[in-house]
Amino acid sequence: MESVPIRLIAAEMIAVTALIRKLEQFVRLSPADRVVLARASSDRVRKFGPRVDITREGDRPRDVHLILSGWACRYKQLDDGRRQVVSFFLPGDMCDLNVFILKEMDHSIGTITSVTIADLSRDFFDEISAGYPRIATALWWETLVNAAIQREWTMNLGQRTASERMAHLLCEIFFRLRLAGLTEGLTCEFPLTQADLADATGLSKVHVNRTLQELRAADLVILRGKVLTVPCLERLMSSGLFNPNYLHMDREGSQLDANE
Amino acid sequence: MESVPIRLIAAEMIAVTALIRKLEQFVRLSPADRVVLARASSDRVRKFGPRVDITREGDRPRDVHLILSGWACRYKQLDDGRRQVVSFFLPGDMCDLNVFILKEMDHSIGTITSVTIADLSRDFFDEISAGYPRIATALWWETLVNAAIQREWTMNLGQRTASERMAHLLCEIFFRLRLAGLTEGLTCEFPLTQADLADATGLSKVHVNRTLQELRAADLVILRGKVLTVPCLERLMSSGLFNPNYLHMDREGSQLDANE
DNA sequence: CGATTTATTGAATCGACTCAATTGATGTGG
DNA sequence: CCACATCAATTGAGTCGATTCAATAAATCG
């Protein structure tokens, strides 16, 4: 078995927890699995300030990034400046597996807050697929869930009204944070600005503001400073026509439980 | 080596060609690779009429489907009937690899035209990953491209105007058909109704109609019956702010050329 | 051929946008 | 620790893109 780093500093320790906690929604990992993940997450760590790019459209993809702490987003931009956030990365999230087989990035990845990432190499994935079937399955699950999230965003932008769309996005983020163990009861940190929400929902900043006021007036959310509270998740879900099925948070892969 | 079916009927023969032609945009396949793909495509073939569901939201996913002929789409629907097409399947397209690790489908797959599909089993993918690295790479490439397409749709719905959006969608379809060898010069078959286009672009049917009239008036498309002609692809591309980079049609994987 | 689906047109309405100004927060340096 | 600068949030007013409703024309199919 691989050697384990003696200790991880607090932030990364939390982050590995977020990843493991998320993956364990799907498969139960063995101690050895956890060790491999912890090692991968402590090797080649980089830190970024808020509001900077980690990768730009056109760059050659080199590694897979694992978000250890902080929030980031994937975005695409048109020449005239129109910008669309196409996904958010929360702690424990990983960008596309195997991107390095592509020649260049078709989108950028930028930070929202300060962010710590671990760069995962091709070798890591080779090692996983050779000797850690449960992790491999869990990573496939993550890939499929990410694809499902992207489809749901398509649905969100295409069919939902402004307030449904906003409620839906808030639900999704809340669910994903909770999965990663980053909520406390009904509240969570929420560093997105209204401009970020505008870029993600395809609404104007002004309309985001008005939409949030609607949600607040209906007691669906409390959003102040950088903290979100959801007084009643059920009500927010139904107002956003939110069905969590696309997050596939079931323990289906538990037939792959580690039983050593 | 596996035994090859003596002969394939015309339609499937074309379809295998579409798949191989598409994958070869990325890696060059060996004769043995082609044989494996041809065998997989001729095993367990099913036919569907137009406008029927192949899979429904909530179903347990069993196989990966490969479209041999015809057009299909993935769609999601809200309780009140609002419907969003989240992707189109053209001949040679495959739905998500490894879906069978999920418990239930979060979307439906329905046909547009009559469709022939091949069901690909878990075993097939095990065989590929064990012994056909070029195919495995090509399938990863397809997965990554599909994810990129979904992101581009998010961009399309979130940021582009109605006519840009329509032009963009038509460009994408034309490019993808051309990649599969299904265009003839500037024209291709185009079985989508205006209602389909509405569901895919998030516009109303009426507005789709008016948007198409705009594009026609600007000589950007000729769309009659079930045939699309693009008089000048460059002009349609620029009117749709279409940048084909997200289709990753480069021969980057050619370092994986078969050279036996 | 009639029946049904698909495409087209007009008119009225509404949701979301732009522009522009103001208020409120956050943060930094003197 | 306050003053200023900057960034984020809020408000109002006018406009426009896209919608709905409803009716008609054209195409397709059995």
Side-chain angles (χ1 to χ4, degrees):
Chain A
M1 191 186 291
E2 312 292 335
S3 70
V4 200
I6 304 306
R7 56 193 199 80
L8 298 169
I9 65 169
E12 279 89 42
M13 201 60 227
I14 291 166
V16 181
T17 307
L19 172 66
I20 289 175
R21 192 179 156 131
K22 190 178 62 166
L23 297 184
E24 288 218 316
Q25 285 301 314
F26 192 66
V27 302
R28 194 165 287 124
L29 300 169
S30 71
D33 291 335
R34 291 201 193 84
V35 165
V36 170
L37 290 173
R39 177 171 53 76
S41 318
S42 54
D43 192 28
R44 298 210 293 152
V45 169
R46 286 191 287 162
K47 288 176 194 299
F48 294 87
R51 308 287 163 186
V52 298
D53 283 338
I54 293 178
T55 320
R56 286 211 182 75
E57 183 165 348
D59 286 358
R60 165 172 265 295
R62 302 206 166 276
D63 294 289
V64 170
H65 308 303
L66 166 65
I67 308 287
L68 296 176
S69 67
W71 291 31
C73 69
R74 235 199 269 264
Y75 68 90
K76 304 193 66 148
Q77 209 153 13
L78 297 175
D79 290 338
D80 62 10
R82 278 178 278 176
R83 171 184 151 109
Q84 177 70 40
V85 167
V86 297
S87 42
F88 287 115
F89 291 113
L90 309 179
D93 285 344
M94 219 176 259
C95 70
D96 327 70
L97 299 193
N98 273 324
V99 254
F100 35 71
I101 72 175
L102 299 180
K103 189 152 115 198
E104 51 177 69
M105 297 286 289
D106 55 55
H107 61 269
S108 302
I109 297 180
T111 63
I112 306 280
T113 64
S114 291
V115 160
T116 313
I117 67 173
D119 290 316
L120 307 178
S121 66
R122 231 171 168 117
D123 292 346
F124 170 71
F125 293 100
D126 290 345
E127 188 185 345
I128 293 303
S129 61
Y132 298 87
R134 279 180 301 273
I135 298 181
T137 301
L139 295 181
W140 256 116
W141 168 78
E142 226 225 335
T143 299
L144 293 168
V145 170
N146 285 337
I149 290 174
Q150 202 66 55
R151 287 191 293 267
E152 190 66 35
W153 279 46
T154 306
M155 178 70 166
N156 215 19
L157 290 165
Q159 301 299 325
R160 278 184 258 258
T161 64
S163 65
E164 288 167 353
R165 210 181 289 182
M166 186 62 65
H168 190 282
L169 176 60
L170 297 179
C171 281
E172 179 184 300
I173 290 175
F174 193 82
F175 266 78
R176 288 171 56 192
L177 286 174
R178 197 168 60 176
L179 216 66
L182 296 170
T183 54
E184 284 198 31
L186 305 167
T187 61
C188 61
E189 286 193 36
F190 195 84
L192 301 181
T193 63
Q194 293 185 0
D196 293 325
L197 290 170
D199 288 344
T201 55
L203 300 170
S204 66
K205 280 188 298 186
V206 171
H207 206 59
V208 164
N209 184 281
R210 288 174 174 141
T211 304
L212 287 174
Q213 288 180 50
E214 262 184 59
L215 297 182
R216 277 193 274 248
D219 286 317
L220 291 166
V221 299
I222 302 166
L223 185 50
R224 274 184 47 83
K226 305 230 158 289
V227 176
L228 168 69
T229 301
V230 180
C232 175
L233 189 52
E234 280 67 34
R235 287 184 54 239
L236 186 62
M237 286 168 67
S238 72
S239 85
L241 308 174
F242 183 88
N243 178 341
N245 67 343
Y246 72 99
L247 296 173
H248 298 279
M249 303 172 309
D250 43 70
R251 262 291 180 70
E252 179 52 16
S254 46
Q255 75 273 10
L256 280 168
D257 275 356
N259 40 18
E260 299 117 84
Chain B
M1 189 186 292
E2 311 294 334
S3 70
V4 199
I6 305 304
R7 58 195 196 78
L8 299 167
I9 65 169
E12 280 89 42
M13 200 58 227
I14 291 166
V16 181
T17 307
L19 173 64
I20 289 176
R21 191 179 155 131
K22 190 178 62 165
L23 297 184
E24 288 219 315
Q25 285 301 315
F26 191 66
V27 302
R28 193 165 286 124
L29 301 169
S30 72
D33 291 335
R34 290 201 193 86
V35 166
V36 170
L37 290 173
R39 176 172 52 76
S41 318
S42 54
D43 192 27
R44 297 210 296 153
V45 169
R46 287 192 286 163
K47 289 177 194 299
F48 294 87
R51 309 283 163 188
V52 298
D53 283 339
I54 292 177
T55 319
R56 284 211 184 72
E57 182 164 348
D59 285 358
R60 165 173 266 294
R62 303 206 165 277
D63 294 288
V64 171
H65 309 304
L66 166 65
I67 307 286
L68 295 176
S69 68
W71 290 32
C73 68
R74 236 199 270 263
Y75 68 91
K76 304 194 70 149
Q77 208 152 14
L78 297 176
D79 290 338
D80 62 9
R82 278 179 277 175
R83 172 185 151 109
Q84 177 70 41
V85 168
V86 296
S87 42
F88 287 114
F89 291 113
L90 310 179
D93 284 345
M94 219 176 258
C95 71
D96 327 70
L97 299 194
N98 273 325
V99 255
F100 35 71
I101 72 175
L102 298 181
K103 190 153 117 197
E104 51 176 67
M105 296 286 290
D106 56 55
H107 61 269
S108 303
I109 297 180
T111 63
I112 306 279
T113 63
S114 292
V115 160
T116 313
I117 67 172
D119 289 317
L120 307 178
S121 66
R122 233 172 168 116
D123 293 344
F124 170 71
F125 293 101
D126 291 345
E127 190 185 344
I128 292 303
S129 60
Y132 298 87
R134 279 180 301 272
I135 298 180
T137 302
L139 294 182
W140 257 115
W141 169 78
E142 227 224 334
T143 299
L144 292 168
V145 170
N146 286 338
I149 290 173
Q150 203 67 54
R151 287 191 293 267
E152 190 66 33
W153 280 44
T154 307
M155 178 70 167
N156 215 20
L157 290 165
Q159 300 299 326
R160 278 184 258 258
T161 65
S163 65
E164 288 167 352
R165 211 182 289 181
M166 186 62 65
H168 190 281
L169 177 60
L170 297 178
C171 281
E172 178 183 300
I173 291 175
F174 193 81
F175 265 79
R176 288 171 56 192
L177 286 174
R178 198 168 59 176
L179 216 66
L182 296 169
T183 54
E184 284 198 30
L186 305 169
T187 62
C188 61
E189 285 193 38
F190 195 84
L192 301 181
T193 64
Q194 293 185 0
D196 294 325
L197 290 170
D199 289 344
T201 54
L203 300 169
S204 67
K205 281 188 296 187
V206 171
H207 205 59
V208 164
N209 185 282
R210 288 173 175 141
T211 304
L212 287 174
Q213 288 180 49
E214 261 184 60
L215 296 182
R216 278 193 273 250
D219 286 318
L220 290 166
V221 300
I222 302 166
L223 187 49
R224 275 184 47 82
K226 304 228 158 293
V227 176
L228 168 68
T229 301
V230 180
C232 175
L233 189 52
E234 280 67 33
R235 287 183 53 238
L236 186 62
M237 286 168 67
S238 72
S239 85
L241 307 175
F242 183 87
N243 178 342
N245 66 342
Y246 72 99
L247 296 173
H248 297 280
M249 303 171 309
D250 44 71
R251 263 292 179 69
E252 179 53 16
S254 47
Q255 74 274 11
L256 278 168
D257 276 357
N259 41 19
E260 298 118 84

